[in-house]
Amino acid sequence: MAILTMKKKLSAIAIALLTVPMMAHAVWFQGQGSATIKDGEVDQARHEAVQNALLGLMYKGGASIRSVQVVKSGVLASDKLTVRTNGEIHDMQVMREKRTDDTITVTVRADIFPMKTCNKDNYAKTMMIGPITIRSRQQAQMGGIYQLGKTLSQQLFQQLQLSNRRIDARQLMTTPIASLSDYNDQNSMLEVARSLSAQNDVQYVMFGTIDDLSNYTTSSTSQLTGVTDTTHHRSFRITIYVVDGIKGDIVFSKSYSTNQEWDFSLTMKVSPDSDMFWSSKYGKAVQYVMKQAVQDVQVSLYCKQTLANVVGIDNNQLIINLGQRDGVQEGDAFHLMRTRYLLSHDGAQSSPIFNQTQSPQFKVVSVQTHRSVLQADHYSDMANIQLRDILIASSQNKLRANLDD
C-alpha cells in the first residue's frame, strides 16, 4: 500500500513537472483595436474591434485564435470568436471600451500560448493591390454592379494603408490586365506579378476574381392567408491571390463565398460605391467576406521573409526600397543575396534561385519613408552589385524583431 502511494506521488510530481514548462510559455499581452459603428450596430463594431486587437496581439505572440470567450466585467459578451492565426489564446478579457463619435475602441488582455514560431524579421511586406475582375459581366447585370471589382480593390488598398503595420500597401491598380484574362493560367499570373513587382517597388502583388454573382429566388406560402412571398437572393464568391513577384511564387490562393437577400428590386441600378449598397444585407455580407480575406492574407505573410530591392547605387552605398514605414532603423544590417536563373527545356526563365553563402553585409546609415541608404563594410563588397539585386535582413535584425515583439 505504501509503495502504491509513493507511485501515485511520483506520478503527480511527474505530471506537475511536465506541466510547468508548458505553462511557462503562456504570456499575457495587452493591445487595442478599433472599428466603425455603422447603422447603430454597436455589437458588430465591438466584435470587429476585438478581432482587430487580437490580430495585433498575434503579431506579438504568434497566436492561433480559434475559439475565444470574450469576457467583459465578468460577463460573457461574445462567444466563439474565430480568427485563424499561429498559436492559441487560453484566456482573454476586454479591459476597457471607449466610444468616440462613430468609433469604438477596446483594450484587450490575452493569455497567448505560441503553437508555432517562425524566424520572422521586423519589416512590413510591401504590396501592390491589383485589379479584381468579374468573370461574368452578365451576372453583374442585376443592379448594374459592373464596378464592384474596382470598388473592392480600392477598399482593400485603403484598409491596408490605414490600419496595417505589417503590410505596406504602396500602389493600387484597378484597370483589368489584358494579358491576365485567365487567372487559371499560373504562368501568366507569375509573369505579370514579376513585372508589376519591379515597376512598383513591391515584393507582393494581390489579384482577385469575382467568380459568382448569380441570383436565385425562394418562395414561402403562408398557411393562414395562402399568400406566396418570393425573396430574391444573390451569391458572392471571390478568389484572392497573392504572388511573391520577386521569388515568383503564389503564396496565397483562397476562395470565399456567401449569399444573402438582395434588398433591391430587380430593375433598380445600385452603385457599388454608394452607402445604399454597403448598408444593405448583401453589401454587409460582402464586406464581412472581404475582412476575412484580409485577415487570412495577413496571417499567411506573417512568417514570410521580407526581401529588399537595390534601387540605387552611389559609390560604396546602396539604396533599397524599404524604409521607416516598413520598420527599418539605422544600424540594421542586410546581406546580399546572390541570384541565378535556370532555363527550362522550352527556353523560359525559371524563378530565381537565391544563395547567401559568404554574402557581404551592409548597414543602414540613413532612413526615409520608403528608402534606406546602406553602407558597405568594404569598398570591394560593392563589386558586381546591380540594380534590382536582392538583400535580406541579417540575423541580428531578426533578434531585435523578437525582442521588440
Side-chain angles (χ1 to χ4, degrees):
M1 188 71 178
I3 295 175
L4 188 59
T5 303
M6 180 63 69
K7 285 184 176 180
K8 288 182 178 179
K9 288 182 178 180
L10 290 174
S11 297
I13 294 172
I15 292 173
L17 290 174
L18 288 172
T19 305
V20 169
M22 291 181 66
M23 294 301 292
H25 286 83
V27 182
W28 282 93
F29 294 93
Q30 184 168 305
Q32 286 188 337
S34 299
T36 302
I37 302 173
K38 296 181 179 179
D39 301 326
E41 297 185 2
V42 178
D43 289 341
Q44 177 64 26
R46 181 183 297 111
H47 184 278
E48 293 178 6
V50 171
Q51 281 190 320
N52 292 334
L54 290 178
L55 281 173
L57 295 183
M58 178 272 291
Y59 293 130
K60 292 183 178 181
S64 173
I65 309 160
R66 287 186 304 226
S67 180
V68 179
Q69 290 187 339
V70 182
V71 179
K72 182 180 179 182
S73 301
V75 179
L76 184 64
S78 177
D79 196 9
K80 294 183 179 179
L81 177 65
T82 301
V83 181
R84 290 174 297 280
T85 53
N86 299 321
E88 184 174 330
I89 286 190
H90 287 290
D91 190 16
M92 192 199 76
Q93 292 181 333
V94 177
M95 308 299 293
R96 289 184 296 277
E97 177 181 309
K98 180 181 178 182
R99 297 188 203 176
T100 304
D101 297 330
D102 60 347
T103 301
I104 185 170
T105 301
V106 297
T107 301
V108 302
R109 183 171 177 262
D111 182 12
I112 297 176
F113 183 84
M115 293 178 63
K116 175 184 176 183
T117 58
C118 60
N119 192 23
K120 64 183 184 298
D121 52 50
N122 198 41
Y123 305 126
K125 317 302 180 185
T126 55
M127 180 178 289
M128 172 184 180
I129 309 301
I132 295 178
T133 60
I134 299 176
R135 284 191 182 272
S136 173
R137 286 183 59 82
Q138 184 177 357
Q139 289 184 346
Q141 184 175 357
M142 186 174 76
I145 55 174
Y146 300 105
Q147 299 299 314
L148 179 59
K150 179 180 179 180
T151 300
L152 291 179
S153 291
Q154 292 170 336
Q155 288 185 353
L156 285 174
F157 180 69
Q158 293 169 358
Q159 183 177 347
L160 291 171
Q161 270 200 323
L162 294 174
S163 63
N164 195 281
R165 68 183 182 90
R166 289 289 178 173
I167 296 180
D168 180 7
R170 294 189 175 182
Q171 300 292 339
L172 170 67
M173 180 180 184
T174 59
T175 305
I177 303 171
S179 59
L180 193 57
S181 57
D182 183 7
Y183 283 79
N184 293 323
D185 184 355
Q186 291 192 1
N187 290 331
S188 296
M189 187 186 299
L190 293 177
E191 184 178 346
V192 170
R194 288 193 195 101
S195 177
L196 292 175
S197 171
Q199 293 172 17
N200 295 280
D201 274 347
V202 296
Q203 180 175 356
Y204 296 99
V205 181
M206 180 189 291
F207 301 109
T209 59
I210 300 175
D211 305 310
D212 186 13
L213 289 172
S214 60
N215 64 88
Y216 60 96
T217 59
T218 58
S219 300
S220 60
T221 302
S222 172
Q223 294 181 349
L224 295 176
T225 64
V227 177
T228 300
D229 183 31
T230 300
T231 304
H232 296 279
H233 294 264
R234 191 168 201 166
S235 300
F236 176 79
R237 187 172 76 250
I238 187 170
T239 303
I240 298 294
Y241 306 89
V242 178
V243 182
D244 187 328
I246 296 178
K247 289 187 174 181
D249 296 329
I250 298 176
V251 297
F252 181 85
S253 175
K254 187 174 180 180
S255 293
Y256 301 84
S257 61
T258 186
N259 64 80
Q260 186 54 263
E261 180 180 343
W262 183 251
D263 294 349
F264 313 101
S265 68
L266 298 184
T267 57
M268 181 178 179
K269 302 299 180 184
V270 186
S271 170
D273 290 327
S274 66
D275 291 337
M276 180 185 298
F277 177 84
W278 293 109
S279 62
S280 69
K281 294 178 181 178
Y282 184 78
K284 291 178 181 178
V286 172
Q287 198 169 53
Y288 180 78
V289 164
M290 298 307 296
K291 288 182 178 179
Q292 290 297 116
V294 168
Q295 291 174 0
D296 287 347
V297 169
Q298 292 173 6
V299 172
S300 70
L301 297 183
Y302 179 65
C303 288
K304 298 295 183 183
Q305 189 175 52
T306 302
L307 303 180
N309 278 123
V310 176
V311 295
I313 302 173
D314 183 19
N315 294 324
N316 65 331
Q317 291 184 329
L318 300 179
I319 302 173
I320 62 172
N321 66 331
L322 297 180
Q324 187 177 29
R325 172 67 174 81
D326 308 298
V328 180
Q329 299 179 14
E330 290 187 17
D332 284 356
F334 287 81
H335 284 282
L336 180 68
M337 295 281 280
R338 300 297 184 184
T339 309
R340 63 191 181 98
Y341 296 86
L342 299 178
L343 295 180
S344 60
H345 64 279
D346 58 358
Q349 182 174 281
S350 70
S351 298
I353 299 174
F354 298 114
N355 182 12
Q356 63 178 114
T357 304
Q358 296 180 341
S359 60
Q361 178 173 284
F362 302 83
K363 288 191 176 180
V364 177
V365 295
S366 177
V367 181
Q368 300 175 9
T369 303
H370 290 297
R371 294 285 188 268
S372 295
V373 179
L374 280 63
Q375 182 81 42
D377 288 341
H378 308 284
Y379 189 80
S380 58
D381 291 340
M382 297 293 297
N384 300 320
I385 292 182
Q386 300 177 358
L387 295 178
R388 311 307 307 172
D389 277 353
I390 307 300
L391 290 92
I392 62 167
S394 72
S395 57
Q396 70 184 60
N397 299 1
K398 294 177 181 179
L399 175 61
R400 175 173 67 80
N402 294 328
L403 292 175
D404 287 347
D405 281 347

